[in-house]
Amino acid sequence: MSARAAPTPVPDGDEGSGALPSVLRTKRTIALLRICVLAVVTFLSLSSAGVLTVAGPGALVLLFDAFVYALTCLVLSTRRGEASPWGRAVTLAIDVALITAWIEVTGGGRSEFWTLYLIVIAAVALRFGIVQTIGVAVGLAVLLLAQLVEHGVLWTSRLYRPTLLLVAGFAIGVLSLQRADQRQKRFEMEAIAESRARQLGRERAEVER
Protein backbone atom coordinates (compact mmCIF):
# COMPACT_ATOMS: atom_id res chain seq x y z
CA MET A 1 0.00 0.00 0.00
CA SER A 2 3.06 2.22 0.24
CA ALA A 3 4.38 2.48 -3.32
CA ARG A 4 1.12 1.63 -4.94
CA ALA A 5 -1.18 4.40 -6.14
CA ALA A 6 -4.38 4.59 -4.19
CA PRO A 7 -7.17 3.31 -6.44
CA THR A 8 -10.37 5.19 -6.78
CA PRO A 9 -13.24 3.22 -5.23
CA VAL A 10 -14.92 0.92 -7.70
CA PRO A 11 -18.37 2.57 -7.52
CA ASP A 12 -17.19 5.33 -9.83
CA GLY A 13 -15.05 3.21 -12.07
CA ASP A 14 -15.61 0.96 -15.06
CA GLU A 15 -13.91 -2.22 -13.91
CA GLY A 16 -15.58 -5.38 -15.07
CA SER A 17 -19.16 -6.28 -15.72
CA GLY A 18 -20.16 -5.72 -12.10
CA ALA A 19 -19.05 -2.07 -12.04
CA LEU A 20 -22.35 -0.54 -13.16
CA PRO A 21 -24.52 -2.38 -10.59
CA SER A 22 -21.95 -1.32 -7.98
CA VAL A 23 -22.30 2.31 -9.09
CA LEU A 24 -26.09 2.13 -8.76
CA ARG A 25 -25.90 0.47 -5.35
CA THR A 26 -23.51 3.11 -4.07
CA LYS A 27 -25.63 5.99 -5.39
CA ARG A 28 -28.79 4.55 -3.87
CA THR A 29 -27.05 3.75 -0.58
CA ILE A 30 -25.85 7.33 -0.22
CA ALA A 31 -29.26 8.72 -1.21
CA LEU A 32 -31.08 6.49 1.28
CA LEU A 33 -28.52 7.27 3.97
CA ARG A 34 -29.08 10.97 3.38
CA ILE A 35 -32.85 10.57 3.83
CA CYS A 36 -32.48 8.39 6.94
CA VAL A 37 -30.12 10.87 8.59
CA LEU A 38 -32.42 13.74 7.69
CA ALA A 39 -35.41 11.88 9.15
CA VAL A 40 -33.54 11.28 12.42
CA VAL A 41 -32.46 14.92 12.61
CA THR A 42 -36.02 16.08 11.95
CA PHE A 43 -37.41 13.76 14.62
CA LEU A 44 -34.86 14.91 17.19
CA SER A 45 -35.49 18.53 16.35
CA LEU A 46 -39.29 18.35 16.49
CA SER A 47 -39.26 16.31 19.70
CA SER A 48 -36.87 18.70 21.45
CA ALA A 49 -38.27 22.06 22.42
CA GLY A 50 -34.77 23.31 23.14
CA VAL A 51 -33.58 22.76 19.57
CA LEU A 52 -36.55 24.56 18.03
CA THR A 53 -36.20 27.41 20.50
CA VAL A 54 -32.56 27.93 19.57
CA ALA A 55 -33.06 27.34 15.85
CA GLY A 56 -36.17 29.43 15.34
CA PRO A 57 -38.57 29.27 12.36
CA GLY A 58 -35.68 29.23 9.89
CA ALA A 59 -34.94 25.65 10.94
CA LEU A 60 -38.19 24.38 9.42
CA VAL A 61 -37.41 26.09 6.13
CA LEU A 62 -33.94 24.56 6.14
CA LEU A 63 -35.34 21.10 6.87
CA PHE A 64 -37.86 21.45 4.03
CA ASP A 65 -35.10 22.45 1.61
CA ALA A 66 -33.00 19.52 2.78
CA PHE A 67 -35.87 17.07 2.21
CA VAL A 68 -36.45 18.39 -1.31
CA TYR A 69 -32.75 18.01 -2.04
CA ALA A 70 -32.62 14.50 -0.52
CA LEU A 71 -35.65 13.31 -2.52
CA THR A 72 -34.17 14.77 -5.70
CA CYS A 73 -30.94 12.86 -5.08
CA LEU A 74 -32.92 9.68 -4.47
CA VAL A 75 -34.73 10.04 -7.79
CA LEU A 76 -31.49 10.76 -9.63
CA SER A 77 -29.86 7.73 -8.01
CA THR A 78 -32.21 5.44 -9.95
CA ARG A 79 -30.65 6.48 -13.24
CA ARG A 80 -28.13 4.14 -14.76
CA GLY A 81 -24.58 5.31 -15.24
CA GLU A 82 -22.08 6.88 -12.93
CA ALA A 83 -22.16 10.46 -11.76
CA SER A 84 -19.53 12.79 -13.17
CA PRO A 85 -16.74 14.03 -10.88
CA TRP A 86 -18.28 17.50 -11.00
CA GLY A 87 -21.67 16.09 -10.06
CA ARG A 88 -20.21 14.28 -7.07
CA ALA A 89 -18.36 17.42 -6.04
CA VAL A 90 -21.56 19.48 -6.25
CA THR A 91 -23.53 17.05 -4.08
CA LEU A 92 -20.67 17.03 -1.58
CA ALA A 93 -20.66 20.83 -1.46
CA ILE A 94 -24.44 20.93 -0.95
CA ASP A 95 -24.26 18.33 1.83
CA VAL A 96 -21.57 20.31 3.65
CA ALA A 97 -23.44 23.59 3.13
CA LEU A 98 -26.72 22.19 4.50
CA ILE A 99 -25.05 20.60 7.53
CA THR A 100 -23.04 23.74 8.25
CA ALA A 101 -26.18 25.87 8.01
CA TRP A 102 -28.01 23.49 10.34
CA ILE A 103 -25.17 23.61 12.85
CA GLU A 104 -25.25 27.40 12.75
CA VAL A 105 -29.01 27.68 13.36
CA THR A 106 -28.88 25.14 16.20
CA GLY A 107 -26.19 26.86 18.23
CA GLY A 108 -23.12 27.08 16.03
CA GLY A 109 -20.04 25.71 17.75
CA ARG A 110 -22.16 24.64 20.72
CA SER A 111 -24.44 22.49 18.57
CA GLU A 112 -24.21 18.72 18.94
CA PHE A 113 -25.11 18.24 15.29
CA TRP A 114 -21.44 18.59 14.30
CA THR A 115 -21.37 14.79 14.26
CA LEU A 116 -23.22 14.95 10.94
CA TYR A 117 -19.86 15.76 9.38
CA LEU A 118 -18.93 12.12 10.04
CA ILE A 119 -21.71 11.06 7.65
CA VAL A 120 -20.21 13.32 4.98
CA ILE A 121 -16.82 11.68 5.44
CA ALA A 122 -18.36 8.21 5.09
CA ALA A 123 -20.20 9.26 1.92
CA VAL A 124 -16.98 10.66 0.44
CA ALA A 125 -15.19 7.38 1.16
CA LEU A 126 -17.87 5.50 -0.77
CA ARG A 127 -17.51 7.64 -3.89
CA PHE A 128 -13.92 8.89 -3.87
CA GLY A 129 -10.48 7.66 -2.86
CA ILE A 130 -8.51 7.78 0.36
CA VAL A 131 -6.75 11.03 -0.58
CA GLN A 132 -10.04 12.83 -1.18
CA THR A 133 -11.52 11.34 1.99
CA ILE A 134 -8.66 12.58 4.16
CA GLY A 135 -8.70 15.93 2.36
CA VAL A 136 -12.41 16.40 3.07
CA ALA A 137 -11.85 15.37 6.70
CA VAL A 138 -9.13 18.01 7.05
CA GLY A 139 -11.38 20.65 5.48
CA LEU A 140 -14.29 19.76 7.75
CA ALA A 141 -12.01 19.79 10.80
CA VAL A 142 -10.84 23.30 9.92
CA LEU A 143 -14.43 24.42 9.32
CA LEU A 144 -15.57 22.96 12.64
CA LEU A 145 -12.63 24.52 14.46
CA ALA A 146 -13.58 27.92 13.04
CA GLN A 147 -17.13 27.46 14.32
CA LEU A 148 -15.89 26.46 17.76
CA VAL A 149 -13.57 29.45 18.01
CA GLU A 150 -16.25 31.83 16.76
CA HIS A 151 -18.67 30.77 19.49
CA GLY A 152 -16.08 30.64 22.26
CA VAL A 153 -16.31 26.91 22.94
CA LEU A 154 -13.90 25.42 25.50
CA TRP A 155 -10.47 24.34 24.32
CA THR A 156 -11.21 20.72 25.16
CA SER A 157 -13.97 20.65 22.56
CA ARG A 158 -11.80 22.60 20.13
CA LEU A 159 -9.23 19.84 20.35
CA TYR A 160 -11.18 16.62 20.44
CA ARG A 161 -13.92 17.38 17.90
CA PRO A 162 -11.67 18.31 14.94
CA THR A 163 -9.26 15.56 15.96
CA LEU A 164 -12.10 13.04 15.87
CA LEU A 165 -12.96 14.13 12.32
CA LEU A 166 -9.33 13.69 11.26
CA VAL A 167 -9.06 10.24 12.82
CA ALA A 168 -12.38 9.20 11.31
CA GLY A 169 -11.30 10.49 7.89
CA PHE A 170 -8.10 8.46 7.97
CA ALA A 171 -9.76 5.30 9.29
CA ILE A 172 -12.69 5.40 6.87
CA GLY A 173 -10.33 6.28 4.01
CA VAL A 174 -8.19 3.22 4.72
CA LEU A 175 -11.29 1.03 4.84
CA SER A 176 -12.47 2.43 1.51
CA LEU A 177 -9.05 1.70 0.01
CA GLN A 178 -9.21 -1.91 1.17
CA ARG A 179 -12.76 -2.16 -0.15
CA ALA A 180 -11.64 -0.88 -3.54
CA ASP A 181 -8.74 -3.35 -3.63
CA GLN A 182 -11.01 -6.27 -2.82
CA ARG A 183 -13.52 -5.31 -5.51
CA GLN A 184 -10.77 -4.78 -8.05
CA LYS A 185 -9.37 -8.25 -7.34
CA ARG A 186 -12.84 -9.76 -7.58
CA PHE A 187 -13.46 -8.11 -10.94
CA GLU A 188 -10.07 -9.33 -12.18
CA MET A 189 -10.86 -12.88 -11.09
CA GLU A 190 -14.25 -12.68 -12.80
CA ALA A 191 -12.60 -11.45 -15.99
CA ILE A 192 -10.06 -14.30 -15.86
CA ALA A 193 -12.82 -16.86 -15.25
CA GLU A 194 -14.88 -15.46 -18.13
CA SER A 195 -11.88 -15.51 -20.45
CA ARG A 196 -11.07 -19.07 -19.43
CA ALA A 197 -14.67 -20.13 -20.03
CA ARG A 198 -14.60 -18.66 -23.55
CA GLN A 199 -11.31 -20.40 -24.26
CA LEU A 200 -12.69 -23.74 -23.08
CA GLY A 201 -15.76 -23.20 -25.24
CA ARG A 202 -13.61 -22.63 -28.32
CA GLU A 203 -11.52 -25.70 -27.56
CA ARG A 204 -14.65 -27.82 -27.06
CA ALA A 205 -16.05 -26.54 -30.36
CA GLU A 206 -12.83 -27.46 -32.17
CA VAL A 207 -12.84 -30.95 -30.66
CA GLU A 208 -16.45 -31.54 -31.70
CA ARG A 209 -15.57 -30.68 -35.27
Side-chain angles (χ1 to χ4, degrees):
M1 194 173 70
S2 59
R4 184 178 175 183
T8 302
V10 173
D12 294 303
D14 297 320
E15 301 92 335
S17 58
L20 184 56
S22 179
V23 170
L24 295 177
R25 284 195 301 269
T26 301
K27 290 167 59 178
R28 292 169 184 171
T29 298
I30 295 176
L32 291 174
L33 177 63
R34 186 181 289 110
I35 290 180
C36 291
V37 171
L38 186 55
V40 172
V41 170
T42 302
F43 173 78
L44 293 177
S45 302
L46 296 179
S47 61
S48 175
V51 174
L52 291 180
T53 301
V54 174
L60 298 178
V61 177
L62 185 58
L63 286 175
F64 176 78
D65 294 340
F67 265 113
V68 172
Y69 164 68
L71 291 176
T72 301
C73 291
L74 181 61
V75 172
L76 294 177
S77 68
T78 59
R79 297 182 179 180
R80 296 181 64 84
E82 63 184 76
S84 66
W86 282 108
R88 285 177 278 152
V90 168
T91 55
L92 170 61
I94 296 176
D95 287 337
V96 173
L98 288 174
I99 292 175
T100 302
W102 181 251
I103 292 175
E104 284 296 326
V105 300
T106 55
R110 302 182 185 279
S111 174
E112 295 298 329
F113 288 103
W114 66 272
T115 51
L116 295 175
Y117 284 142
L118 296 173
I119 306 298
V120 175
I121 295 175
V124 171
L126 287 173
R127 307 191 72 180
F128 295 91
I130 182 173
V131 175
Q132 294 89 339
T133 302
I134 296 177
V136 169
V138 171
L140 293 177
V142 173
L143 178 59
L144 179 60
L145 180 60
Q147 292 174 318
L148 295 173
V149 172
E150 179 184 358
H151 292 84
V153 180
L154 295 175
W155 277 102
T156 53
S157 296
R158 297 184 191 182
L159 289 176
Y160 91 83
R161 291 184 182 183
T163 302
L164 179 60
L165 292 182
L166 294 175
V167 172
F170 178 78
I172 297 175
V174 171
L175 291 176
S176 71
L177 179 63
Q178 294 177 347
R179 174 175 172 266
D181 285 338
Q182 292 175 354
R183 288 194 173 187
Q184 177 66 27
K185 292 178 181 178
R186 187 177 74 248
F187 289 140
E188 291 176 354
M189 294 300 296
E190 291 176 354
I192 293 174
E194 184 178 353
S195 176
R196 182 58 180 168
R198 287 197 300 266
Q199 182 179 356
L200 289 175
R202 289 194 297 267
E203 293 177 356
R204 186 179 294 108
E206 293 179 356
V207 171
E208 291 176 352
R209 290 176 184 176

